[in-house]
């Protein structure tokens, strides 16, 4: 058995690049996951890890398509090329999300039959510790109804590859449980998802419409929606969790008595805190490509990058791309 | 000065009708707010409060338009008629949301110039204790760009009437701060909101796009979006808050030591708990009508109804409809 290929890490992407990204890559390497750094010579210098040099950096605010076309020697493009060329198993970036998608798509190419790749985001507060997935979380602001059926197929493959969920339950995000609720677009998607054929070939069960309040519950393993609604919902969850945790910590810090009581509660609250911390979800996966590409949030810390590298490695080991091929058939 | 008109309360609407609705109406009356019950003779019998009898009930699952057309003697339709006829100042219902909207619209009629009424929902976790508002929270699943400018105008009037916010900041919900982010629809709305004319006549300031994570922050007083996205976002916040509060209570209840510590913290956590409890937001307001109509959530308790009645009364006292007329001009 040959050594596994390394995870390519875009050292230049993210608000805290390169320092936190490098620290995350080193932590992952120390934990036994092979990584290869992709960044400017200055950024990757002085690290023991293997590296690929790139002379350019794509900024967070750049227009994705133009940036990827023009900066062919950027860390983001070079990371995607490393996957394409078999030098890396997968890639992780906390940089410009649109550019990460564009670079992954242009360099790795779509799997056969994929209309549009989608971002699959594990939900941070979910009932079963992040073991459900929302897609599209932002790759395609506007969608055609058929795409969402494919998102459902791909989400099912993700749940099967990553969490061994044999027959994932698929829900459609809408504004009421009844099939008559929602926009004409959502009603069209509902009708398509009701058809038994795709459920059979994808090994899924369509459980009907789900609502915003069900996102963190246990009614569906895969929740499909357009990329606009999905992105709003995901960021709403992150914002609500952050506000609520902040308010609770404020209440704990009220006086000496409350601080002492909070100390007692910390051990039982810590797992919950870790669950709502977006650094722990391991990043979102771009599904539909001939390779694994993980998009970590822009403010990723070292821990977030370490987790994202772990998820990238795991998805390769668990043959995500083959699982995707099976359901796209 | 003549006595203020009563708030008409749909006694038959909601999962906990009529018992909790009646209890809420009685609590509001005991607190000095005049109410008039609207319900079946059996439901309103044995209460000291004035009442209007209605022989029919619109169920939660009925198709709104047909139900309102066919059940002309339903509590919901009679409550809206009481406002139209000057027997009540305003109405409150926790029943079928679509039917409450349809009854309010058909009986009270739109204010001059209103394209579509919208549901304005105070956000339960907001930075400043629910002092911002999201609209449309579900009245219009599909919208035209111009409608959102009107929603912004109406939201500003609401913030001015209810909270004395003189120059409300308006944000447009999207998936990135840049004007280039989002669907073509959202980009069109952004361009319209940028125009200084409406900001001047409405006394608003457009602060640009806001994201899901900003909903509970302090970046905008009024957040506009289409009714599909708004409903998903609102229910996502409610679901996230409920999940998180439930998980925290579970951690508190782990063992005797944690229970004792939790007792110490309760006084400082209670205000937070009350803030995230949807029973405390006072219900959503249907804006754009010649009258005040408050839609309380389906699972409303007595406390939720009491708060909704309080908000209805307050919005009448503070001349919401006149404020709306000013900005619609």
């Amino acid at each position: 058995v040959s050594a596994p290929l390394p995870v390519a890490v875009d050292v230049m992407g993210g608000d805290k690049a390169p320092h936190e990204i490098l620290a995350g890559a080193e932590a992952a390497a120390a934990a036994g996951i092979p990584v290869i750094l992709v960044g400017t010579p200055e950024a990757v210098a002085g690290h023991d890890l293997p590296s690929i040099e790139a002379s350019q950096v794509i900024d967070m605010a750049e227009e994705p398509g133009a940036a990827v076309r023009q900066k062919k020697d950027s860390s983001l493009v070079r990371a995607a090329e490393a996957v394409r060329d078999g030098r890396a198993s997968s890639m992780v970036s906390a940089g410009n999300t649109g550019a990460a998608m564009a670079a992954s798509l242009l360099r790795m190419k779509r799997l056969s039959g994929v209309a549009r790749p989608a971002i699959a985001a594990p939900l941070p507060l979910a009932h079963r510790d992040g073991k459900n997935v929302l897609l599209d979380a932002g790759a395609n602001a506007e969608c055609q109804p058929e795409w969402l059926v494919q998102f459902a197929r791909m989400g099912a493959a993700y749940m099967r590859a990553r969490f061994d969920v044999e027959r994932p339950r698929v829900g459609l995000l809408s504004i009421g449980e009844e099939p008559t609720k929602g926009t004409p677009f959502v009603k069209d998607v509902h009708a398509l998802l009701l058809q038994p054929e795709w459920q059979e070939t994808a090994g899924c069960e369509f459980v009907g419409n789900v609502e915003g309040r069900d996102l963190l519950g246990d009614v569906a393993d895969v929740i499909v929606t357009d990329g606009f609604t999905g992105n709003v919902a995901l960021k709403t969850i992150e914002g609500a969790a952050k506000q609520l945790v902040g308010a609770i910590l404020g209440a704990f810090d009220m006086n000496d008595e409350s601080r002492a009581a909070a100390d007692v509660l910390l051990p039982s609250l810590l797992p919950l805190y870790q669950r709502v911390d977006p650094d722990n979800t391991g990043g979102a996966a771009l599904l539909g490509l001939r390779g694994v590409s993980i998009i970590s949030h822009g403010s990723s810390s070292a821990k977030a990058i370490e987790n994202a590298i772990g998820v990238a490695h795991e998805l390769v080991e668990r043959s995500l791309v083959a699982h995707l091929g099976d359901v796209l058939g």
Side-chain angles (χ1 to χ4, degrees), chain A residues 38-51:
Chain A
V38 189
T40 59
E42 305 75 49
V44 300
H47 293 273
D48 287 338
L49 299 170
S51 64

Side-chain angles (χ1 to χ4, degrees), chain A residues 90-145:
Chain A
S90 54
M91 68 177 278
V92 166
S93 178
N96 184 318
T97 299
M101 290 192 302
S104 303
L105 176 59
L106 291 171
R107 291 300 183 269
M108 297 184 199
K109 305 294 181 192
R110 297 177 206 184
L111 282 164
S112 167
V114 169
R116 290 290 186 289
I119 295 177
L123 293 177
L125 268 171
H127 198 68
R128 296 178 301 156
D129 292 314
K131 287 188 187 163
N132 62 9
V133 73
L134 172 75
L135 71 170
D136 178 15
N140 311 281
E142 274 206 320
C143 292
Q144 292 178 17

